[in-house]
Structure formats: structure tokens, C-alpha cells
Amino acid sequence: MTYQELINSWSTFSSEIQAFTQDLGLDTLALECDHTALRVNSNQSADLLRHEFARVGNIISDNMINGRPILIIELNTPLMMGNTAIECVELPYPSDKVYPQQGWEHIELVLDCGAADCDELTHALLEKAPQLAAIIAGETEIKVKMSSPKGDKERLANPTIAFKKNGLCIKVHSQSIKAVIASEAE
């Protein structure tokens, strides 16, 4: 997995993730897409991508989350997803899980609601997108996972709701990645 392979696959991923966003009805909410994320299965691939991404951006966070390094790279030139500019890429080093497909895995959308936990985030999201109620209740083929990942230095709660279908994932969280990173310096 190389940077060029990722760039070559961006158009397909971008189109598929936009269609999934529309299926969920999130496209009408004008949520900020603050970053996209990769999945790799080896430290060697992660090291190579770290080096390659460092040439096209700046690593603004290198933090331990759930026992593994996760980098956030702010790109010199944002990736475009339709009319949306995505400034940051999340590069997690692999965990024990082996992903069936390496490459682009998800985008993260910010619902700026100040939610401190998953219940508050769910309430705020359903207020703006009531069509998600059946999905969140587990009544559809779309899988939902709620979590509150936290980096070693983070001081800002950032609950997350992940929607997964056909190898695609869209996560909604309450804080932007840059706000979370800024909380590490406080």
C-alpha cells in the first residue's frame, strides 16, 4: 500500500462514501468532514505511508490510542470529496485485527453539539436526523457502533457513532479532530 495507490483509489472511495452519506441522509446536514482514515495490516505499510504522507503534509498528532500509535496528518493540499475539502488523514498503526481490505476506510463528520458521551451524541444526531432512528435501533442491515476513544493526552470528550455497510464506514463525532488535538496541549 503506497501513497500513490491511495490517491489512485480516492475517486472510487469518495464516490462510494458520498452515496452512503446520502443513503443515511447525512448529506443534508452540512456537517464538517474533518478527516478521512486508512486501514493497514502491517507496521511496515504504516511506516511507509507515514514517510510518504510527511512529504505532502505535516504530522499534527502522533498519539497512543487504545494501545497503538495513531497519526493525524494535515495535508498541504486537501483531498476533495465532491465540493468538500478534507484537510486531514488519520493513519492508525495496525492492531491485532486484520482488515480484509487495506486503504481508505472511513470519513468522520463533526456534529458540533458538545456531547460528552454517546447518549448525548445520539440524542443530538436524532434531533437533526430522525430518519436514523431505525438504523441506530439495529433494525436495518447497517451496523452501528458507539465508542468513546481517547488518546493518552486528550482532555476533550469525543464520543463517536459509526455507521458501517459493505466495507464503508461513516463516523459522526462531537468535536473536530483539530479541537481534540488542541486539548492535548492544555
Side-chain angles (χ1 to χ4, degrees), residues 145-162:
K145 180 181 175 187
M146 298 191 190
S147 63
S148 295
K150 189 167 167 68
D152 291 349
K153 303 172 196 166
E154 289 173 15
R155 290 177 169 74
L156 195 58
N158 198 23
T160 303
I161 302 172

Side-chain angles (χ1 to χ4, degrees), residues 24-26 29 124-133 136:
L24 293 170
L26 294 173
L29 300 184
L125 183 59
L126 288 175
E127 213 170 77
K128 291 193 177 282
Q131 74 279 4
L132 295 173
I136 289 173

Side-chain angles (χ1 to χ4, degrees), residues 61-66 68-72 90-93:
S61 178
D62 182 349
N63 202 351
M64 293 297 286
I65 300 175
N66 296 332
R68 64 184 172 144
I70 296 185
L71 308 178
I72 303 296
E90 174 185 330
L91 172 58
Y93 274 66

Side-chain angles (χ1 to χ4, degrees), residues 32 34-35 107-113 121 158-161 171-177 180:
E32 173 195 2
D34 69 339
H35 70 282
I107 61 166
E108 298 204 20
L109 304 173
V110 181
L111 177 61
D112 189 10
C113 63
L121 181 59
N158 198 23
T160 303
I161 302 172
K171 295 184 179 186
V172 177
H173 53 134
S174 61
Q175 306 287 341
S176 75
I177 195 66
V180 171

